[in-house]
Structures are given as structure tokens and as C-alpha cells.
């Protein structure tokens, strides 16, 4: 197993160690989804909401295109 594969597996395990307790403790604002919604102003319209949502759209759009194109994008 290459060091990168090991690192990605470790990263996924760490993500699960953070996310699973956050999902089950039922406190608002601690899961990844809730943090993304807050940071990128998905709910509500605080100052700079349009720029934040545009950044989220462009970032997620690039990620989807990158994964679906096999790395061509």
C-alpha cells in the first residue's frame, strides 16, 4: 500500500470519527453539512452571501467535473 493510499484511508477514518458523533448528538451546527451551510450562507442572506454561494458552486462544480472526467479537468 502506498503512503498516499494509507493517508487517504486515515483521512476517511478521521472524518468518520468527527462526523459520526456529530450526527448522533443532535446539536445544531456541528456536522460537515451544517458547517458548509453556515460558512457558505446557504440558509439566509448575510453580508457577502452571493460571493460565498458562488465560491461553493464553483468549487463543487470543479470537483464533480474533475471526478467525472477522470482528472482531465
Amino acid at each position: 500500500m502506498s503512503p498516499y493510499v494509507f493517508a487517504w484511508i486515515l483521512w476517511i477514518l478521521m472524518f468518520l470519527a468527527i462526523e459520526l458523533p456529530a450526527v448522533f448528538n443532535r446539536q445544531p451546527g456541528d456536522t460537515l453539512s451544517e458547517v458548509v451551510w453556515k460558512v457558505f450562507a446557504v440558509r439566509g442572506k448575510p453580508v457577502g452571501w452571493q460571493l460565498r454561494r458562488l465560491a461553493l458552486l464553483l468549487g463543487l462544480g470543479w470537483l464533480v467535473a474533475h471526478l467525472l472526467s477522470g482528472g482531465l479537468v
Side-chain angles (χ1 to χ4, degrees):
M1 178 175 0
S2 79
Y4 286 104
V5 172
F6 177 75
W8 280 111
I9 291 171
L10 184 61
W11 184 89
I12 291 167
L13 292 174
M14 291 300 298
F15 170 79
L16 291 174
I18 296 167
E19 185 72 6
L20 288 177
V23 167
F24 291 111
N25 72 12
R26 300 182 189 260
Q27 292 180 354
D30 53 2
T31 65
L32 177 62
S33 298
E34 292 165 337
V35 170
V36 168
W37 296 334
K38 183 174 183 176
V39 169
F40 291 100
V42 173
R43 297 178 177 168
K45 294 183 179 178
V47 174
W49 68 273
Q50 293 166 321
L51 186 58
R52 291 192 236 172
R53 289 185 193 176
L54 178 61
L56 179 61
L57 177 68
L58 292 174
L60 291 177
W62 171 84
L63 179 61
V64 169
H66 177 70
L67 293 174
L68 292 179
S69 72
L72 297 175
V73 177

